[in-house]
Amino acid sequence: MTDLVVLSLERWDRVWRRNQHLVAGLLRTDPSLRVLFVEPAADPTHDVASRRVPSVGRGVSEVGEPAPGRLWTVRPTKWLPRRIDPRTDDRLASTVMRAASSVGMRHPLLWINDPGAVGLAERSGWPTLYDITDDWLAADRAEGERARAAANEARLLDVAREVVVCSPELERRKGAVRPVTLIPNGVDAEAYREPAGRPADLPEGRTALYLGTAHPDRIDVDLCEATARALGDRGTVVLVGPNLIGTDATLRLQRAGVVLLGPRAREHVVGYLQHADVLLVPHVVTPFTDSLDPIKLYEYQAVGRPVVSTPVAGFRDVTDSRVTIADDTSFPDAVVAAIAASRPFPHGADGPTSDWSERVAAMREVLARLADAA
């Protein structure tokens, strides 16, 4: 039996990202695998400072699907900021180790996304995989926060026995320091090509849709606003996904006619993509976004809808007649032209895709090496 503790940057919820797809695939293909999925710590102090209702973590709970009796989640609580409680990381590590012990895991493999969790790797001695999905050292952060992230990553790159990256650019950056394995993202292509009904809350008429988290490190709010105004009554810009851009930016988009629907469960996402007339990637182009391998590239390709994207990593590198690359100046007009020429699904949904099953098999090989070296 193989035990695996996954320290994720996202919660295990109905909006699936890389970790959920890979973990679910591993559980389906290995009946001996057991997984404790550690969600990001609740931070009630930060919630209060941000004028949000404070939340606290929760103990170990079993997740029914996709592997009853073999998948658990736990959410620790970070009670105080690190500047007040210098033992915060030790306390979080202890919580995870107790949670693993409570489900009978004595010496599991450890999979880390957040370099801030390096203390757990050092303290537990568990064989560690560092899976890098974003280059947070390139993100727009305060200098102190960036320095702390750099120090943590340097330690983790040293202690981790295996390092996986999701994009060629991350392979170039991190591979200059130590050997890494490239495992890009993917899509459940068959599911995305099975016809789905039109979601009831998708606006009537033609739509230009963005699927993903509206995050200030990624999305270009000015460009979304300009595109909505350029479309006018010819179509509606729709954002589907968690909204982290803040109140002021949200109000600006709404005044321009953008519809923000919020997050949708993974089983419902397909309908939004299939029934959009154009799919959008209005991302800023920065060293941070250049480190990404956008999952939406594979999702967009699977449904075959026309795509208009800024020249960001992944989209600018793909050879696909369905993808139009446009800079900030030409982006709105490119969307107007694409929406006028769009044909209904399933037109175009016959191009090549990279299935999650391929990525699961590659990750299984990495974990096998990690276990053999333990």
Side-chain angles (χ1 to χ4, degrees):
M1 178 177 291
T2 302
D3 290 335
L4 177 63
V5 175
V6 179
L7 262 75
S8 177
L9 287 165
E10 297 97 14
R11 300 185 66 177
W12 188 285
D13 55 22
R14 299 180 71 191
V15 180
W16 276 28
R17 304 168 183 87
R18 175 182 171 93
N19 276 356
Q20 289 97 320
H21 286 290
L22 290 175
V23 168
L26 290 166
L27 286 164
R28 291 188 186 106
T29 56
D30 182 357
S32 70
L33 178 65
R34 303 192 309 163
V35 176
L36 175 65
F37 193 92
V38 183
E39 299 178 338
D43 192 341
T45 304
H46 185 263
D47 289 339
V48 171
S50 303
R51 298 181 179 179
R52 294 193 297 261
V53 176
S55 62
V56 296
R58 52 177 173 72
V60 175
S61 59
E62 183 181 332
V63 179
E65 292 295 332
R70 295 191 291 123
L71 172 62
W72 299 269
T73 62
V74 64
R75 189 184 187 200
T77 301
K78 176 187 170 186
W79 291 107
L80 293 170
R82 290 177 177 85
R83 67 179 183 276
I84 297 175
D85 180 8
R87 295 195 62 236
T88 289
D89 291 324
D90 287 339
R91 297 182 198 281
L92 293 173
S94 295
T95 298
V96 174
M97 293 173 70
R98 286 195 302 269
S101 178
S102 73
V103 294
M105 295 184 178
R106 300 291 177 253
H107 194 65
L109 306 180
L110 178 61
W111 170 342
I112 290 179
N113 284 138
D114 181 2
V118 63
L120 173 62
E122 294 171 329
R123 180 173 175 178
S124 68
W126 295 339
T128 299
L129 157 69
Y130 179 25
D131 180 29
I132 309 177
T133 58
D134 307 89
D135 192 353
W136 295 108
L137 306 189
D140 183 14
R141 297 291 185 272
E143 187 54 41
E145 185 177 350
R146 186 181 295 110
R148 183 169 58 251
N152 286 336
E153 180 166 280
R155 290 163 56 197
L156 188 52
L157 287 171
D158 182 59
V159 75
R161 301 185 190 183
E162 294 282 346
V163 175
V164 167
V165 295
C166 74
S167 73
E169 179 60 19
L170 281 171
E171 183 181 33
R172 184 188 69 80
R173 295 181 192 180
K174 310 306 178 181
V177 179
R178 55 155 297 158
V180 301
T181 300
L182 173 62
I183 302 180
N185 292 315
V187 67
D188 183 356
E190 184 177 344
Y192 275 67
R193 287 174 173 170
E194 181 69 25
R198 182 183 176 91
D201 58 354
L202 192 63
E204 294 182 1
R206 292 183 174 265
T207 56
L209 185 141
Y210 171 78
L211 173 68
T213 301
H215 193 289
D217 283 328
R218 295 179 174 86
I219 201 161
D220 188 331
V221 173
D222 292 340
L223 190 56
C224 291
E225 184 180 10
T227 301
R229 296 193 187 282
L231 278 173
D233 59 6
R234 289 172 289 194
T236 303
V237 173
V238 181
L239 307 187
V240 177
N243 179 8
L244 303 181
I245 58 175
T247 302
D248 291 343
T250 297
L251 290 174
R252 278 179 50 201
L253 292 179
Q254 290 173 333
R255 284 195 293 265
V258 177
V259 174
L260 296 94
L261 293 179
R264 292 296 181 268
R266 63 185 180 92
E267 63 268 24
H268 298 148
V269 162
V270 175
Y272 291 93
L273 294 178
Q274 289 181 359
H275 290 276
D277 295 281
V278 177
L279 297 173
L280 304 181
V281 192
H283 280 185
V284 294
V285 182
T286 65
F288 175 73
T289 58
D290 269 350
S291 74
L292 306 178
D293 180 46
I295 292 178
K296 63 177 57 62
L297 169 62
Y298 307 99
E299 295 172 323
Y300 284 13
Q301 286 185 304
V303 295
R305 313 306 298 128
V307 176
V308 179
S309 173
T310 55
V312 291
F315 286 90
R316 70 168 180 244
D317 306 314
V318 71
T319 302
D320 189 334
S321 62
R322 300 166 299 182
V323 177
T324 298
I325 301 299
D327 61 18
D328 291 358
T329 303
S330 59
F331 190 96
D333 288 340
V335 174
V336 171
I339 208 168
S342 178
R343 296 167 61 184
F345 176 86
H347 178 78
D350 53 3
T353 60
S354 298
D355 197 86
W356 276 120
S357 61
E358 303 168 29
R359 313 317 192 194
V360 169
M363 187 61 83
R364 190 185 308 114
E365 292 181 6
V366 172
L367 292 173
R369 291 200 304 265
L370 188 63
D372 289 343

